Amino acid sequence: MVGSAAKDSLTRTVVKIFRTRFAVENGVSSTKSVASLRIPVTSGAVRDLKFIDDRSFMLAFIGADDVSRLIKIGFRPCKNSETGLRYHEIGLAGRTGLEEFDGENAPFDTHGMDLRRLSDVSVHTVHRFPPGRMWRPRSLEVNGRKGRRMICVLAEDKLHYRQFDVDSPDAVHDSTSGGDGTEDLDATMSSVDYSRISNLCDARFGLDGFWRMDVNQVLESTLSPDASTRHNAEQQLLQAADLDFSAYVSTLAHELANEQAQPHIRSAAGIALKNSFSAREYTRLRDLQLRWRDRVAADVKNSVKELALRTLASKDSRAGQSAAQFVASIAAIEIPRNQWPELMPALVANVGEGGDHLKQSSLVTIGYICESEDTELRDSLVQHSNAILTAVVQGARKEETNLDVRYAAIVALSDSLEFVRTNFENEGERNYIMQVICEATQSGESRIESGAYGCLNRIMALYYDKMRFYMEKALFGLTILGMRNHEEDVAKLAIEFWCTVCEEELAIEDDNALTQAEGGTELRPYFNFSRVAAREVVPVLLELLAQQDEDAHEEEYNISRAAYQCLQLFAQAVGGDIVQAVLGFVEQNLRHADWHWRDAAVSAFGAIMEGPDEKMLEPIIKQALPVLIQMMGDDSVQVKDSAAYTLGRICENVADSIDPETHLAPLVRSLFTGLSSNPKMAGSCCWALMNLADRFAGEPGANVNPLSAHFQDSITHVLSVTESPTGGDAQVRMAAYEVLNAFVTNAANDSLPIIARLSDIILQRLENTLQLQQQIVSVDDRNVLEEIQTSLSSALLAIIQRLEREIKPQADRIMHVLLQVLNSVGAKSSVPDTIFATVGALANALEEDFAKYMDSFAPFLYNALDNQEEPALCAMAIGLVSDVTRSLGEMSQPYCDAFMNYLLQILSGPSNGNQLRPAILQCFGDMAQAIGPHFEKYLSVVAQVLNQSSTMTLSDGAFEMFDYFVSLREGILDAWDGAILAMKQGKADSLRPHVDSIFKFLQLVGQDPNRSEALLRAAMGVIGDLAESFPNGEYGEAFRSEWIGQLIKEVRSSPEYAARTKDTARWAREQIKRQPTGGQVSQMS
C-alpha cells in the first residue's frame, strides 16, 4: 500500500489523501485499488504537512482563531471509528496512473474527521504555539530513525525554528489526548527550543532559567560593535519575549530602574523595552500592543508602569530618556482605553513639584506621547489638553531657570499644539501661550529659540484664522530678527515661518476658489500676510541667498537653500508683486566680483519662474536667456550649477519664452557642455535637458519637432559622455543616460532611424557588461557594474517604448542578453527591477509574438513572485504578469496556474500580502480578460479573495491609509470587471453566484465618501459590463435600483470629472436602459 497526501495549493483549506494498493505477482506490480478522501479545514489554513511514519502524518495548521498548531492525523482507514477516516474507492477503468486522480471529486470525509469542527481540531492537536502572529509556522520537516525521530518547524520569519522529539516517552501520540485549552503543550511533546536563546540557558528550566543567568551580559552584547554578537543577543531577547512576555518586560523594567546598574546597561534595557512595543508595519505594531494587553497580568502591568515612572526621576539622563519612550509606548495602548488615568496627573505633578531631572523627563514623555501617529491615541489626547498645557506651559516660561527643562517643554508644546484647539479658542489662554512662545524666541539659548520658532510654524499652520492680532503686534518683527540670527538653526526656522505663511495662504486661495466654484459661501479667512510682508521679508531673503557654503553637500539644507525655497513660495503667493524687487537685486549683483552674490542673483531669478503671469515674465526671460547661457561658462562651479538649474526652471514653467530658432541651439549646447564638465553640475544640467525635451516634444506622433535638428548631436554627446565602461564619474554617467531616455521618449518620427541604430549600441554595451562580471574584485566594483547595467536597461526600455512594434527585428537579441543579465546578477541586486520593466515593454510591443520567450523567461518571473523578501521586485513581477497576460491573450493560459498559485501565496503571506493586494487584484482582472472563459476555473477562488478584500473599511482620521484604501477598491472592481468580460463569452451563468456580492460592493462604493474619479469610473464599467452580460433582464430590478441611478447621474453630471469618466457613465446608463422589465430580482439585502 502507498499513501499520498497534499494540501490544496490554491486555498490551503482542504487536505487530500490518496490510498493506493498494489498487487505484486512474479515481481511485477499492478494497481489493485485507489481510494481518496478530502478533509475540510476551512476554518483555518494548512501551511505544510509531512508523513511521520506509515500510520500518521503531521499538519502545521493556523486556525481561524489565529492560533498555530501541530495536528497529528492517523491516515489508516477505520470503518468502525467515529474518529477514523473513510476512503472512497476510485474506479480504475481506463485509468493508467495515480496522476489522473486529482481528488476534486472525492467527497468530504463527513463521517470521520472534519477540521472545521473545533472538537476535531482539539482532539488531534499535539502542540499549540503562542497565540497571534508572534510565532507562526512556515514549513516542517521530519527526520531521524525510529525511536529518535524529530520534527523541525521553521517559523514564518525564517529566522527561528522549534524542534520536537516525536518518540519521547512523554509525548502524546494517541488521538484521545492532547487538548486545545489555553496552555502551551510544549511539555507533552518534549519540545526543545533550539533557537538562539539556547546557548544562554537550558530549555529544561524554561524562561525562569533564562532570567537566572546574567541578563546584563545579553544587554551588553546588544551594544557590541561586532554585528554577529549583537545580532545573537537581539535574537535572544526576542525569544525571551516570545516565551514569557510578562517576565521579560518586568525583568527589563527592573534593570532600567536599577540605579546601581551601569548607564549603558540601563540604556540597552530601555532600547529593548522600546523595541518590544515598536514596529514599522501597522499589523505588527497591533500584535505587539495586544501582547501587552492580553498576555501581561494586571499586577505585573502596574509594577512595570510604576518602575517606568520612577525611572523618570533618575539622574542618569539616558535612563530617563529611555523611560520616557517606554512610558509613551504603554500610554499609546492604555490612554485610548482609559486604562492609565493617573498618568497625565502624575506627569503634571512631576513638572510642578519634581526636581530638574524629573521635570525634564516628564516633559519629554509628554512630547513622545503627543508626537505619536497612532490615530486612537491622538483622538483620545484631546480630553487631556488641559493637563498637557498646564505642564508644558509651566516648563516653557521664562521663569524656568533650567534650560534643559525649558527646551523639553518647548518641544513638548510643539508636539501638543494639535490637541489643544479648545484652549486656543479661548482668547485669554491663547494670549498666554503666545506670550510664552514669543518670549522663548528671545531667550538667548539657540535650541530654545529654534524650538520656539518651530512652535510658531505649527501654530500658523493650525490656527491661521487666529493669527491676525499676533502678526501685527509681534510676529512680523520677531521673525525678521530671527531670520538675521547668527545661529543657523534659528534663522532657518524663522525663514520657514514665512514658508508656512505662504503655503497656508496658497491653500486657502485654492479652497476658497473651489468653494465658490461649487456655489458655496462659507470662505476661509484670508489676511494676505505674505503680500503685506513681502516688501520687508523679500529683501532679507535675497541677502540670505548669498550665504552659500561652497563645501555644502548637495542634499544639505542650509540658510541659502531655505531662503531660496521661501522666495519660491513668495513668488507663488504674491505673483507679479515680487518681480521688481528681485530684478533690482539681479541687476545689481549679476556681475559682482564675489561669486556668492553672482550665484544669489542667478538663483533669485530662477526662484520667480513660477507664480508671476507668464506674459509678464516672457520679455524678461527673452532678454535674460543669452546672459544665463553665457553664465554657463562662469569661473565658479556653483554659479554654473545655479545657471543650469535656472534654465531648467524656465524650461519647466515658461518654455514658450524660448525661441527655438534663436535660443534652442546654444541652450542645448551649453547644457550638454555643463553635463560633461563637472559632476557637481550633472544633476541640474540633466534636469534642465529633460525639461527641455519634454516641452519641445510637440504633439504625440509628430513627424518633426523642434528637437529634431539637435537630436543626432544630442545622442552623440550622451554616448560620448557614457562611453567608458567603468571609468568616469558615476553621477555624470547616470545623469547622461537619463537625458538619453528623455530625448528618445520625446523624439519625433523623423528621428526613429537614429533610435533604431542607437539600440545596437546600447545592446552591445549591455552585452559587454557580462564580460566584466569576471573582473569584479570588490563590492564597489559590483555596485558600479550594476549601476551601468541598470542605466543601459532603462535606455533599452525607452527605445522599446518609442519604437514599439518596430523593435521586433532586435527582439531575439534583446531577450537573450536580458536573460543572461538576470542569470548573472546576485540575489539582492536592483538590476532585475529594470530588466523586468524592459521585458514588460517588449511584451507589450510584440504582443503574441512574445510567446516564444516565455519558457525561458518564466522561471525568473516565478522566482521574483516567490521572493517576498524583496517587495519592490515582487511588485514589479506582479505588474509584469499583467503585461504578459495582456500581451499574449489566450496564449498565456499554460502559465496561469503557476501565476495564480504565486499570487495567492503572496496574499496569504504575513508581510507583503496587504501591501501588494491592490496590484494582485488588478492582475486577476488582466488575467481574466486575457484568457477569457478559461478563467472560470479560478473564478470561485478569486471571488472569495475579492469578497474578503471588500470588507475593509477606512477608519475616521486614517488619512495615511486613504490612497491604499481607494486603490484596493479600484483593484476589486478591476478584477470583477475582468471576470465579467471573460465570462460574458459564453460562461455568464458562472457569474450568477457572485452577482449579489458585486451589487453589494458597488452600493458600498457609491455610498462611501472615500472615493476617487478612477474608482467611480471603474464602478461604471462594472455596471455596464454586468448589464451586457445579462441582457435578458435577469437582474433588471437590481439595475433599476434607485442608488444605481443616483450614482450614474452623479458621475456623468460632475463638472470635476474627465470626459472619459462621464462617457463611461453614459454608456453604463444606456446598457441599463436596454434591460427588459419583469426580470428576476437580485437577492440583495
Side-chain angles (χ1 to χ4, degrees):
M1 184 199 78
V2 174
S4 173
K7 62 180 183 293
D8 188 303
S9 60
L10 289 180
T11 65
R12 300 190 181 192
T13 59
V14 174
V15 175
K16 305 170 186 176
I17 305 178
F18 302 91
R19 181 171 177 268
T20 307
R21 298 175 67 87
F22 293 97
V24 181
E25 294 183 7
N26 300 321
V28 178
S29 64
S30 60
T31 302
K32 184 175 180 181
S33 66
V34 177
S36 70
L37 60 77
R38 299 167 70 205
I39 301 176
V41 289
T42 50
S43 62
V46 176
R47 301 308 298 267
D48 198 5
L49 58 83
K50 291 290 189 300
F51 283 97
I52 298 175
D53 50 31
D54 58 0
R55 293 180 177 272
S56 59
F57 62 87
M58 192 76 75
L59 294 179
F61 177 77
I62 301 175
D65 54 1
D66 207 27
V67 175
S68 302
R69 300 170 172 85
L70 288 181
I71 296 179
K72 181 181 177 184
I73 298 177
F75 59 83
R76 291 276 185 164
C78 185
K79 296 181 180 180
N80 297 322
S81 172
E82 288 297 320
T83 60
L85 302 180
R86 293 189 177 185
Y87 288 84
H88 304 271
E89 295 294 328
I90 300 175
L92 296 177
R95 310 275 182 162
T96 58
L98 180 61
E99 66 276 11
E100 297 187 33
F101 306 118
D102 62 4
E104 291 299 327
N105 297 317
F108 285 112
D109 182 39
T110 55
H111 298 289
M113 184 183 304
D114 186 344
L115 295 184
R116 293 176 295 189
R117 296 194 296 257
L118 183 60
S119 58
D120 280 10
V121 172
S122 177
V123 79
H124 291 281
T125 295
V126 292
H127 179 73
R128 290 181 65 214
F129 295 98
R133 296 176 177 269
M134 300 305 300
W135 212 103
R136 301 181 67 171
R138 174 184 175 88
S139 61
L140 55 87
E141 296 293 338
V142 179
N143 209 338
R145 62 185 185 277
K146 187 174 182 179
R148 294 291 296 169
R149 286 170 302 176
M150 305 293 290
I151 295 178
C152 183
V153 184
L154 178 66
E156 200 164 51
D157 61 7
K158 299 183 182 179
L159 295 174
H160 308 105
Y161 64 90
R162 292 188 177 180
Q163 192 160 310
F164 304 93
D165 185 351
V166 179
D167 296 320
S168 167
D170 298 326
V172 178
H173 293 302
D174 63 276
S175 61
T176 62
S177 298
D180 197 30
T182 58
E183 74 276 15
D184 192 336
L185 301 179
D186 276 347
T188 63
M189 283 287 289
S190 301
S191 77
V192 182
D193 193 326
Y194 282 100
S195 53
R196 297 191 182 279
I197 196 173
S198 62
N199 60 24
L200 284 178
C201 65
D202 187 341
R204 291 174 299 173
F205 297 110
L207 192 68
D208 290 339
F210 175 77
W211 294 120
R212 281 199 296 270
M213 55 140 222
D214 186 5
V215 178
N216 291 351
Q217 177 186 347
V218 183
L219 293 173
E220 188 162 20
S221 295
T222 64
L223 305 175
S224 171
D226 179 70
S228 177
T229 301
R230 189 170 61 250
H231 176 74
N232 288 345
E234 290 168 353
Q235 293 304 310
Q236 292 157 19
L237 292 176
L238 287 174
Q239 287 295 316
D242 187 21
L243 289 173
D244 189 340
F245 187 63
S246 290
Y248 173 81
V249 74
S250 179
T251 301
L252 292 183
H254 277 92
E255 203 63 36
L256 177 63
N258 184 4
E259 292 293 336
Q260 279 69 49
Q262 297 181 52
H264 70 281
I265 297 295
R266 300 179 72 184
S267 179
I271 293 172
L273 285 168
K274 177 183 71 71
N275 291 342
S276 299
F277 292 84
S278 305
R280 293 181 181 177
E281 293 214 0
Y282 179 80
T283 53
R284 170 67 174 165
L285 176 63
R286 280 290 177 254
D287 285 340
L288 294 177
Q289 292 179 338
L290 285 173
R291 183 170 64 173
W292 168 263
R293 284 173 50 191
D294 300 341
R295 292 173 57 185
V296 180
D299 58 334
V300 177
K301 288 181 182 178
N302 293 332
S303 172
V304 167
K305 290 188 289 188
E306 176 61 32
L307 288 168
L309 288 175
R310 193 172 75 200
T311 309
L312 293 176
S314 174
K315 293 183 180 180
D316 181 349
S317 59
R318 288 191 298 175
Q321 183 92 354
S322 296
Q325 291 177 316
F326 183 36
V327 170
S329 297
I330 301 175
I333 304 171
E334 299 200 344
I335 286 180
R337 296 162 183 82
N338 297 317
Q339 294 175 344
W340 201 358
E342 64 273 17
L343 173 61
M344 284 302 177
L347 295 175
V348 173
N350 290 348
V351 176
E353 304 168 3
D356 287 345
H357 288 289
L358 182 57
K359 284 183 180 181
Q360 181 183 354
S361 296
S362 298
L363 288 165
V364 170
T365 303
I366 293 173
Y368 284 142
I369 293 172
C370 292
E371 74 176 8
S372 170
E373 296 181 359
D374 188 286
T375 304
E376 292 181 353
L377 176 61
R378 297 177 77 84
D379 290 342
S380 64
L381 285 177
V382 175
Q383 62 183 309
H384 298 284
S385 61
N386 287 331
I388 292 171
L389 267 181
T390 299
V392 297
V393 172
Q394 183 173 355
R397 296 177 305 163
K398 64 181 179 181
E399 289 78 13
E400 176 57 61
T401 57
N402 187 296
L403 297 181
D404 292 333
V405 172
R406 194 177 181 191
Y407 173 66
I410 288 290
V411 173
L413 176 58
S414 178
D415 291 328
S416 67
L417 286 168
E418 185 176 340
F419 313 110
V420 297
R421 185 169 295 276
T422 302
N423 306 83
F424 238 81
E425 294 293 334
N426 183 295
E427 184 179 358
E429 293 186 47
R430 183 172 69 246
N431 286 342
Y432 187 59
I433 295 171
M434 293 300 296
Q435 177 186 338
V436 169
I437 295 173
C438 289
E439 288 173 348
T441 65
Q442 305 301 303
S443 67
E445 173 72 13
S446 61
R447 55 181 177 153
I448 295 175
E449 291 179 0
S450 60
Y453 281 114
C455 284
L456 293 178
N457 290 348
R458 296 206 68 186
I459 290 172
M460 179 58 70
L462 292 168
Y463 306 107
Y464 174 92
D465 59 313
K466 301 288 191 298
M467 288 296 102
R468 188 170 189 173
F469 172 78
Y470 306 104
M471 288 292 285
E472 294 173 353
K473 297 297 183 181
L475 299 185
F476 177 81
L478 284 176
T479 52
I480 294 290
L481 288 174
M483 291 164 66
R484 298 182 183 278
N485 195 296
H486 65 281
E487 290 289 343
E488 183 171 299
D489 289 341
V490 177
K492 286 191 296 187
L493 282 162
I495 294 169
E496 287 179 18
F497 173 82
W498 287 105
C499 291
T500 304
V501 170
C502 293
E503 288 171 339
E504 193 64 24
E505 293 194 333
L506 287 167
I508 292 172
E509 285 186 303
D510 289 342
D511 291 346
N512 288 347
L514 180 59
T515 300
Q516 290 175 329
E518 295 175 346
T521 57
E522 295 185 8
L523 303 180
R524 294 179 59 187
Y526 180 68
F527 303 125
N528 244 328
F529 292 145
S530 55
R531 195 174 301 275
V532 172
R535 290 185 180 180
E536 301 295 332
V537 176
V538 168
V540 178
L541 294 174
L542 292 171
E543 291 179 19
L544 295 176
L545 284 175
Q547 294 190 19
Q548 310 95 323
D549 179 2
E550 61 182 317
D551 297 323
H553 188 269
E554 183 179 348
E555 301 299 325
E556 182 180 332
Y557 185 68
N558 51 35
I559 290 179
S560 176
R561 287 171 181 164
Y564 181 84
Q565 178 186 7
C566 192
L567 191 62
Q568 280 184 306
L569 288 168
F570 261 100
Q572 296 172 41
V574 308
D577 292 355
I578 199 176
V579 171
Q580 289 305 315
V582 172
L583 287 182
F585 178 82
V586 172
E587 292 173 357
Q588 180 180 352
N589 295 289
L590 198 59
R591 304 295 183 186
H592 203 287
D594 188 339
W595 72 264
H596 293 84
W597 292 98
R598 294 199 308 276
D599 181 73
V602 174
S603 297
F605 188 77
I608 64 171
M609 289 299 104
E610 182 181 4
D613 188 87
E614 290 187 24
K615 292 182 179 179
M616 173 185 287
L617 292 176
E618 185 171 343
I620 300 171
I621 292 172
K622 287 184 179 297
Q623 183 179 357
L625 270 172
V627 179
L628 289 171
I629 293 172
Q630 182 182 4
M631 297 195 76
M632 287 292 294
D634 194 276
D635 294 336
S636 167
V637 173
Q638 286 78 10
V639 175
K640 289 192 289 187
D641 183 47
S642 295
Y645 192 80
T646 297
L647 290 170
R649 291 270 295 171
I650 293 172
C651 295
E652 180 185 37
N653 297 295
V654 280
D656 290 342
S657 303
I658 301 174
D659 183 352
E661 298 296 329
T662 306
H663 301 131
L664 201 54
L667 179 57
V668 170
R669 187 167 53 251
S670 65
L671 289 172
F672 272 115
T673 301
L675 175 64
S676 57
S677 65
N678 194 300
K680 290 184 177 181
M681 298 175 58
S684 297
C685 292
C686 172
W687 181 67
L689 285 164
M690 289 191 295
N691 285 335
L692 192 70
D694 185 55
R695 294 301 181 269
F696 288 98
E699 294 296 324
N703 289 325
V704 65
N705 63 27
L707 293 175
S708 295
H710 313 283
F711 190 82
Q712 179 64 72
D713 289 342
S714 299
I715 297 300
T716 301
H717 198 115
V718 171
L719 292 175
S720 174
V721 171
T722 59
E723 187 171 11
S724 174
T726 56
D729 187 271
Q731 187 177 6
V732 174
R733 184 170 53 243
M734 292 174 64
Y737 275 119
E738 289 181 25
V739 172
L740 177 69
N741 298 345
F743 271 72
V744 167
T745 300
N746 294 290
N749 289 342
D750 65 343
S751 300
L752 293 183
I754 301 175
I755 297 176
R757 293 193 297 271
L758 175 65
S759 66
D760 282 321
I761 299 173
I762 297 300
L763 279 170
Q764 182 62 56
R765 290 186 177 185
L766 191 56
E767 289 164 348
N768 291 342
T769 64
L770 297 170
Q771 303 171 10
L772 297 175
Q773 291 279 357
Q774 310 303 320
Q775 303 176 20
I776 292 176
V777 295
S778 68
V779 174
D780 289 341
D781 288 347
R782 181 168 296 282
N783 291 339
V784 170
L785 180 59
E786 291 189 354
E787 170 260 306
I788 293 173
Q789 289 178 327
T790 299
S791 295
L792 289 168
S793 300
S794 65
L796 195 55
L797 169 63
I799 291 170
I800 293 170
Q801 290 175 331
R802 185 64 188 90
L803 292 179
E804 297 179 322
R805 191 75 180 176
E806 300 301 317
I807 197 64
K808 186 176 179 180
Q810 293 274 39
D812 287 353
R813 185 181 178 192
I814 291 172
M815 280 304 297
H816 180 69
V817 68
L818 292 181
L819 292 174
Q820 283 186 300
V821 173
L822 283 175
N823 200 44
S824 65
V825 296
K828 298 292 184 179
S829 171
S830 61
V831 176
D833 293 32
T834 312
I835 297 288
F836 276 20
T838 307
V839 171
L842 189 63
N844 290 331
L846 299 180
E847 296 181 334
E848 293 184 352
D849 289 339
F850 185 78
K852 65 178 181 178
Y853 306 116
M854 276 302 295
D855 287 343
S856 299
F857 176 66
F860 295 102
L861 183 53
Y862 296 155
N863 287 338
L865 289 169
D866 196 37
N867 187 3
Q868 296 186 46
E869 296 178 357
E870 298 291 337
L873 180 61
C874 191
M876 181 69 71
I878 293 168
L880 188 51
V881 171
S882 289
D883 290 338
V884 167
T885 52
R886 281 197 307 264
S887 300
L888 297 183
E890 289 195 6
M891 296 178 69
S892 63
Q893 186 186 349
Y895 308 97
C896 286
D897 280 358
F899 290 156
M900 188 64 69
N901 280 334
Y902 283 115
L903 295 175
L904 291 172
Q905 182 178 327
I906 296 169
L907 287 174
S908 65
S911 54
N912 301 317
N914 285 331
Q915 176 187 347
L916 301 175
R917 184 174 293 261
I920 292 174
L921 301 186
Q922 185 179 22
C923 189
F924 286 158
D926 292 330
M927 193 183 304
Q929 291 190 59
I931 64 176
H934 300 292
F935 191 75
E936 184 182 19
K937 65 185 293 189
Y938 311 118
L939 184 58
S940 61
V941 174
V942 169
Q944 181 181 348
V945 172
L946 297 179
N947 291 332
Q948 178 191 23
S949 302
S950 65
T951 60
M952 177 185 171
T953 57
L954 186 65
S955 304
D956 292 338
F959 302 114
E960 71 281 357
M961 293 293 292
F962 176 80
D963 289 340
Y964 172 82
F965 177 76
V966 172
S967 65
L968 176 66
R969 288 192 163 180
E970 289 176 13
I972 294 171
L973 288 175
D974 287 342
W976 277 128
D977 201 36
I980 292 168
L981 291 171
M983 297 301 103
K984 189 165 62 174
Q985 305 171 39
K987 295 281 188 179
D989 285 345
S990 300
L991 291 170
R992 290 184 184 276
H994 313 295
V995 170
D996 287 344
S997 297
I998 297 173
F999 275 119
K1000 288 177 181 178
F1001 182 66
L1002 287 168
Q1003 188 172 14
L1004 184 64
V1005 169
Q1007 294 173 347
D1008 195 330
N1010 299 305
R1011 58 196 190 187
S1012 66
E1013 180 181 353
L1015 178 61
L1016 292 177
R1017 183 170 60 246
M1020 296 299 101
V1022 170
I1023 291 172
D1025 288 326
L1026 194 60
E1028 270 194 335
S1029 298
F1030 297 98
N1032 298 323
E1034 297 95 322
Y1035 299 94
E1037 293 299 321
F1039 282 115
R1040 284 187 287 274
S1041 299
E1042 182 180 355
W1043 64 268
I1044 287 186
Q1046 289 177 345
L1047 181 60
I1048 293 176
K1049 181 179 179 181
E1050 177 187 345
V1051 175
R1052 68 184 177 84
S1053 61
S1054 173
E1056 299 176 21
Y1057 295 158
R1060 174 189 172 194
T1061 303
K1062 295 179 182 180
D1063 290 343
T1064 306
R1066 293 188 185 98
W1067 171 79
R1069 183 182 62 170
E1070 291 302 317
Q1071 303 312 308
I1072 291 177
K1073 283 183 177 181
R1074 296 176 185 176
Q1075 289 281 308
T1077 58
Q1080 174 184 331
V1081 179
S1082 174
Q1083 299 299 313
M1084 292 189 302
S1085 56

